[in-house]
Amino acid sequence: MKASRLWICVGVLVLGACLAGCSVSVSANAQSGGKYILEGKDKIVVTAAQPAAPEVAPAPEPPKPPMKAKRVGKKIEITEKVMFETGKAEIKVDSHQLLKDVATVLSENASVSKLRIEGHTDDVGKDKANKKLSQSRADAVKAFLVGVGVDGARLEAVGYGEEKPVADNATDEGKEKNRRVEFNIVGESAAPAAGDE
């Protein structure tokens, strides 16, 4: 439709030029970049309005994934386990976001003055080795949290080994539940009174 309107305008100009006694022709190849050139005694250039580029709406931001940690009473509860390499204190990459969410919960709860990171194991292996491994894993979690901005003075790491089972170590399912990291709030400053700065 826009092109046909432009040609109507060109035709009107040609007709006007003819009535004025001019010989005017329009070259078939005279369209370039929205310009139509009428050649006669004088050169007349008619510029076609270029269509506006369509507006492209910005892509919506992807929804934020749900938090994997939240404060519940005197604990920071997590929705999945902190995973380590087998028999080691190396935290798997898959658990990094989980621990970042724990750090976020701490930043949102400034009154928490001390969080105890507890490492626990099942009863497979020697007691002493299990306790050492659980301590190393608790230390690794503390180091990770400090690395993402948590004040180390707010954290303590304790390895309990197999001392505090939450399930029966006689079953594989029970062993799986006993291999865990817990986050217990053991110190909290008083909330500021209303009106206090």
Side-chain angles (χ1 to χ4, degrees), residues 73-84:
K74 291 293 185 179
K75 296 176 71 72
I76 293 180
E77 292 191 352
I78 52 180
T79 60
E80 58 189 51
K81 294 180 67 172
V82 180
M83 301 299 292
F84 299 89

Side-chain angles (χ1 to χ4, degrees), residues 20-185:
C22 299
S23 176
V24 180
S25 64
V26 181
S27 170
N29 296 321
Q31 180 179 357
S32 175
K35 295 180 179 179
Y36 295 84
I37 301 173
L38 285 68
E39 296 181 356
K41 181 176 179 182
D42 298 309
K43 182 181 285 187
I44 303 170
V45 177
V46 181
T47 303
Q50 295 297 309
E55 292 186 9
V56 179
E61 292 186 11
K64 290 183 179 180
M67 288 279 288
K68 298 178 180 181
K70 64 179 179 178
R71 179 176 179 174
V72 179
K74 291 293 185 179
K75 296 176 71 72
I76 293 180
E77 292 191 352
I78 52 180
T79 60
E80 58 189 51
K81 294 180 67 172
V82 180
M83 301 299 292
F84 299 89
E85 298 295 339
T86 303
K88 299 179 181 179
E90 183 181 343
I91 301 167
K92 289 189 175 182
V93 174
D94 290 349
S95 290
H96 287 186
Q97 186 57 54
L98 168 65
L99 294 179
K100 288 176 183 177
D101 288 348
V102 171
T104 298
V105 173
L106 279 171
S107 70
E108 293 173 349
N109 289 268
S111 64
V112 175
S113 58
K114 188 70 70 175
L115 180 75
R116 185 167 59 219
I117 303 160
E118 299 183 0
H120 301 273
T121 69
D122 58 27
D123 67 348
V124 176
K126 295 182 178 179
D127 295 357
K128 187 175 181 180
N130 283 337
K131 192 157 190 175
K132 182 178 179 181
L133 177 62
S134 66
Q135 182 64 55
S136 296
R137 287 179 168 179
D139 288 337
V141 171
K142 177 181 177 180
F144 184 96
L145 293 175
V146 170
V148 295
V150 178
D151 182 358
R154 300 175 69 194
L155 304 171
E156 66 178 25
V158 180
Y160 289 101
E162 57 191 75
E163 295 174 11
K164 296 186 175 185
V166 292
D168 188 353
N169 275 310
T171 67
D172 289 341
E173 183 181 356
K175 287 182 172 70
E176 175 66 21
K177 289 180 179 179
N178 289 332
R179 296 191 296 268
R180 69 197 190 278
V181 173
E182 293 184 356
F183 301 92
N184 291 304
I185 297 167

